[in-house]
Amino acid sequence: MQKAKFAMVGLGVMGQNLALNVANKGYPVAVYNRTEEKTREFLAGPAKGKAITGAYSYPELAEMLEQPRRIMMMVKAGPAVDAVIADIKPHLDPGDILIDGGNSLYEDTERRTAELEAEGLLFIGTGISGGEEGALNGPSIMPGGSREGWEALQGILTAAAAKAWDGEPCVDYMGPGGAGHYVKMVHNGIEYAIMQLIAEVYDVLSRGLGMGADELGDLFGAWNEGDLASYLMEITADIFKKQDEDTGRPLVDLILDEAKQKGTGKWTSQNAFDLGAATHTINAAVTSRIISGMKEQRLAASDLINGPQPNFSGDRETLISAAQEALYASVIIAYAQGFDLMQIASGEYHYALDMKKIAKIWRAGCIIRADLLEDIMRAFDRDQALANLLLDEHFREAVVPRQGALRYLLTHAMGMGIPVLSLSSALAYFDAFRSARLPANLTQAQRDYFGAHTYRRVDKEGSFHTDW
Ligand code: NBP
């Protein structure tokens, strides 16, 4: 029997679709799932007639594979990954390649890479973005870890990855150790930020202007034709247009307003704090999901605590147009924060991340794919070491003229009592970043006052303490 060129362990929705994707590209695939029933159902269902065979034990799986073996794990991130590694390892040979395609924390990937490499195995931790649909038809793939492992996988991953408009595959080697999962983590942080920015604009337009879902669907659809063109805008327009089959009402109006999270956005913020990176808009998105989860308290508070009634009395078209410009400016600012974080991490963790390459492989397949990524690629082409996207001429020219729209939108949203934490954090980041002097002089004075922490002066060298 012909040996399989690739194996998939874990037949959740992502594992199944990726296995189908690889098989559809002409690579025979062997699959294994802890619960045997799922393997049987997959083989009798979506995998029927494809070059996909099932294994019901790890020795059987190892036997089915061409060497060096290429085995991807697509299981729940965390202890499940360690459990699979421990169970499968005794059946592997030096030079075999284990790939973790789940959303693992990059620090876990660092540890696993070191442990497995010490035993002669090659380990690849890869981010995969695109959800179910992307896994099947072409995701954006962000592999990191062993370069030798990447070289042995490049053909398969390149075939499976999304292709951008110019035919370029959305996969490339990100860097050593946990670099691939690190980049995926920041991708998700930016995703949280953009989703929250869109949600806040929706809130202003629906509560402030009384726009209904159908009208919003048209508006977001039109915006998606311009600068804001992106997957998240496209699906938002679709969502507004979807009617509930039972009631005929817009489905979005019937969905409970509690946003869940699996943790990658939170990890991005936690890591940004550790590295001293300013990711205001990502942090605001994480904390906005948290307060959305406080539904019972919010319901109780809404009866007890008064505020203004959201009711906009100015010119409707002006507010709508400001919302579009404000959203575009703040999305750029969210990307700027994410790329800044990756620049800092790249130095700190010796990942040598290539920002242009990252923008390039995010152009298709992934959740944050957007026309804007072409501009980001060009910005890093002009200056590989660009410290902040806002310093690039193109982005300065995009954001500076739109700051008025962002200020206008925020003034009215805040006046109406509509929470706009992410939008306002984007403006606060922008204003802080462009301020030659911030009030941190006072903070330093206070720290010195109560803790003798000392301060530096603008007019002389040295460290000073005052007996206040
Ligand atoms: P899940 O995250 O729901 O994981 C399900 C799979 O993990 C099943 O095959 C399950 O086997 C297996 N598994 C578990 Br749970 N514990 C195990 C253990 N101790 N040993 C062996 N197998 C174990 O599936 P998913 O939604 O397909 O996601 C897979 C990974 O991809 C996750 O890390 C996820 O975060 C990531 N991801 C998901 C998406 C998405 O859109 N869903 C996008 C990008 C990345 P069982 O059948 O026996 O229970």
Side-chain angles (χ1 to χ4, degrees):
M1 203 178 83
Q2 193 194 3
K3 298 256 182 189
K5 290 192 180 295
F6 190 74
M8 181 61 70
V9 172
L11 294 175
V13 58
M14 291 296 287
Q16 288 198 15
N17 282 356
L18 271 166
L20 290 168
N21 180 349
V22 172
N24 288 341
K25 301 295 174 333
Y27 298 94
V29 178
V31 298
Y32 170 89
N33 192 71
R34 179 181 60 177
T35 307
E36 290 187 8
E37 195 48 32
K38 222 184 252 179
T39 310
R40 292 206 171 83
E41 279 172 17
F42 179 57
L43 293 174
K48 202 173 162 76
K50 312 256 180 201
I52 297 181
T53 43
Y56 297 92
S57 69
Y58 288 126
E60 193 188 353
L61 184 72
E63 195 48 44
M64 284 177 169
L65 288 166
E66 178 185 288
Q67 285 182 298
R69 300 180 179 90
R70 303 174 183 92
I71 304 174
M72 178 176 281
M73 299 173 287
M74 216 46 197
V75 299
K76 202 174 161 63
V81 177
D82 290 310
V84 173
I85 292 175
D87 291 343
I88 205 167
K89 220 170 44 180
H91 311 289
L92 302 182
D93 293 301
D96 285 350
I97 306 146
L98 260 183
I99 309 134
D100 175 13
N103 271 334
S104 293
L105 179 61
Y106 73 98
E107 286 164 313
D108 287 340
T109 306
E110 296 282 349
R111 168 178 59 78
R112 290 170 188 143
T113 306
E115 286 168 6
L116 290 167
E117 286 187 354
E119 299 181 46
L121 293 169
L122 305 180
F123 190 62
I124 294 282
T126 183
I128 298 184
S129 175
E132 288 180 50
E133 201 268 339
L136 182 62
N137 298 317
S140 172
I141 309 179
M142 298 150 242
S146 155
R147 189 177 266 284
E148 203 186 327
W150 155 246
E151 281 159 11
L153 276 173
Q154 193 167 358
I156 295 178
L157 295 186
T158 303
K163 308 293 176 297
W165 62 271
D166 53 4
E168 287 289 310
C170 290
V171 58
D172 212 332
Y173 179 70
M174 296 287 98
H181 278 135
Y182 188 86
V183 170
K184 174 60 166 40
M185 176 186 81
V186 179
H187 165 286
N188 285 26
I190 297 171
E191 173 188 306
Y192 271 54
I194 299 172
M195 288 169 72
Q196 181 62 24
L197 291 166
I198 292 174
E200 290 175 8
V201 167
Y202 153 61
D203 205 11
V204 175
L205 298 178
S206 69
R207 281 208 279 166
L209 291 184
M211 286 177 84
D214 193 52
E215 201 183 348
L216 286 164
D218 290 337
L219 184 69
F220 276 70
W223 287 359
N224 190 42
E225 302 287 311
D227 290 333
L228 280 163
S230 59
Y231 173 72
L232 283 168
M233 290 300 285
E234 181 191 324
I235 66 164
T236 305
D238 276 358
I239 288 167
F240 285 132
K241 289 285 180 184
K242 184 81 179 171
Q243 286 190 343
D244 175 48
E245 284 175 9
D246 295 334
T247 62
R249 290 177 55 194
L251 183 56
V252 70
D253 292 347
L254 300 171
I255 295 177
L256 184 72
D257 54 327
E258 268 185 61
K260 303 283 181 208
Q261 45 182 327
K262 278 194 182 169
T264 41
K266 181 183 76 179
W267 294 344
T268 310
S269 289
Q270 285 173 329
N271 177 256
F273 283 125
D274 287 343
L275 294 186
T279 52
H280 294 39
T281 313
I282 298 169
N283 306 347
V286 175
T287 181
S288 296
R289 286 200 192 186
I290 293 171
I291 202 163
S292 84
M294 297 161 53
K295 178 74 176 175
E296 272 184 36
Q297 281 187 59
R298 289 190 289 115
L299 272 173
S302 69
D303 282 336
L304 295 172
I305 307 174
N306 290 329
Q309 282 301 315
N311 192 1
F312 182 69
S313 54
D315 180 58
R316 230 179 122 78
E317 290 311 314
T318 307
L319 189 70
I320 293 172
S321 153
Q324 180 185 8
E325 302 300 321
L327 183 56
Y328 185 56
S330 42
V331 165
I332 292 173
I333 292 168
Y335 276 106
Q337 293 168 16
F339 276 92
D340 173 49
L341 173 60
M342 289 192 291
Q343 289 279 34
I344 295 171
S346 180
E348 191 72 25
Y349 305 140
H350 309 291
Y351 285 155
L353 298 176
D354 178 335
M355 300 300 147
K356 182 185 166 193
K357 220 189 242 183
I358 294 170
K360 187 173 170 215
I361 66 162
W362 284 354
R363 292 181 306 158
C366 70
I367 305 296
I368 62 169
R369 61 187 185 255
D371 284 7
L372 181 59
L373 283 154
E374 293 287 338
D375 298 323
I376 297 181
M377 250 179 91
R378 281 194 282 270
F380 285 111
D381 216 12
R382 285 188 283 274
D383 177 5
Q384 265 211 16
L386 182 66
N388 194 299
L389 280 180
L390 295 175
L391 296 173
D392 173 74
E393 192 181 343
H394 170 84
F395 286 110
R396 264 196 339 261
E397 283 174 7
V399 176
V400 170
R402 288 179 171 88
Q403 62 179 303
L406 183 51
R407 293 181 202 284
Y408 179 88
L409 182 77
L410 286 168
T411 304
H412 289 286
M414 288 176 175
M416 290 188 283
I418 296 174
V420 278
L421 188 63
S422 281
L423 287 163
S424 58
S425 75
L427 182 63
Y429 176 89
F430 173 80
D431 281 334
F433 187 65
R434 64 175 194 85
S435 292
R437 188 162 168 85
L438 287 169
N441 51 328
L442 180 60
T443 310
Q444 282 299 84
Q446 290 162 332
R447 294 179 70 245
D448 187 60
Y449 191 116
F450 62 67
H453 292 301
T454 74
Y455 54 88
R456 291 195 300 148
R457 296 175 59 111
V458 295
D459 55 349
K460 348 182 201 185
E461 285 296 316
S463 179
F464 298 88
H465 169 60
T466 297
D467 184 4
W468 295 89

